[in-house]
Amino acid sequence: MAFEPLPSLALARGTIDRAGNRRADEQWRTTRWKDDASRVLVVSHGRAVVAGDPPVLSLMAPSQAPDVAPDQRWFLGLDGEIAVFAVPGDLPDGPTANLREVGALLSDRDAGLMTTAVALDAWHSTYRHCPRCGATTRVVDGGMARCCPVDASLH
C-alpha cells in the first residue's frame, strides 16, 4: 500500500529566525524587551487571542504586555528585525483559541509562534525540577532551556 506524503504539517510551519546566537545574550534581550517595536504574544493554558478570518495572532508591544519576571519573557526569535517574545499571563480582551481550533488556519509565521509559545508555557509550568537531583531549575537562554543550580545540567 502506497501512502501519499502530507503537503505540510500544520504545526510544524514557521518563518521566524530563532536567532540562537542572540538567545544567551541577556543584555541584548533586555534591550529588545524595552523596545516597543518588539512584539509579545500572551499565552494562557494553551490559548492566545486571535482575530479575523483567517485568524491572526494578537501581538502587542512589551509595554502593553503583562508584567512578568525577566525569566518569563521567552524569546521566540526575530521576524525580520523585530524581536518576538511570549509571556504567560492573563489574556487581553478578544476572542481566544487554542492550537486545535486555529493551528491549521494560521499563517506559517503565526503557527510557528503559537506552537512554540504554547509548548514553552506548558513546559515551564510543569517541569520546574531537575530530573537528575530534584533541585528547582532556573530558566536560561531566553526561555529555551532550564539549568540546575546544583549539578549544572542543562535541560
Side-chain angles (χ1 to χ4, degrees):
M1 176 186 292
F3 292 97
E4 291 293 320
L6 294 172
S8 71
L9 298 174
L11 302 182
R13 299 171 293 137
T15 61
I16 297 296
D17 173 3
R18 299 291 179 199
N21 59 325
R22 294 292 194 178
R23 193 159 299 289
D25 187 341
E26 188 173 340
Q27 182 178 353
W28 181 88
R29 288 192 332 269
T30 299
T31 299
R32 296 308 284 264
W33 179 262
K34 293 177 182 177
D35 180 358
D36 263 359
S38 294
R39 288 288 163 257
V40 179
L41 173 62
V42 182
V43 292
S44 178
H45 305 287
R47 299 187 78 78
V49 174
V50 296
D53 185 18
V56 176
L57 289 177
S58 177
L59 303 176
M60 63 185 61
S63 63
Q64 300 169 321
D67 186 23
V68 297
D71 69 348
Q72 291 185 315
R73 299 173 188 161
W74 308 319
F75 176 60
L76 300 180
L78 292 170
D79 184 12
E81 296 297 316
I82 306 294
V84 183
F85 296 86
V87 298
D90 293 333
L91 296 175
D93 291 335
T96 67
N98 64 36
L99 283 167
R100 288 182 185 206
E101 295 165 332
V102 297
L105 303 174
L106 293 170
S107 68
D108 290 351
R109 181 198 79 148
D110 283 2
L113 289 174
M114 188 170 177
T115 300
T116 304
V118 166
L120 287 172
D121 185 37
W123 180 52
H124 286 301
S125 66
T126 56
Y127 294 96
R128 297 179 182 201
H129 295 91
C130 177
R132 292 180 176 179
C133 70
T136 301
T137 56
R138 62 183 174 83
V139 177
V140 295
D141 291 344
M144 291 293 182
R146 296 186 75 95
C147 183
C148 177
V150 174
D151 64 21
S153 59
L154 191 62
H155 310 277

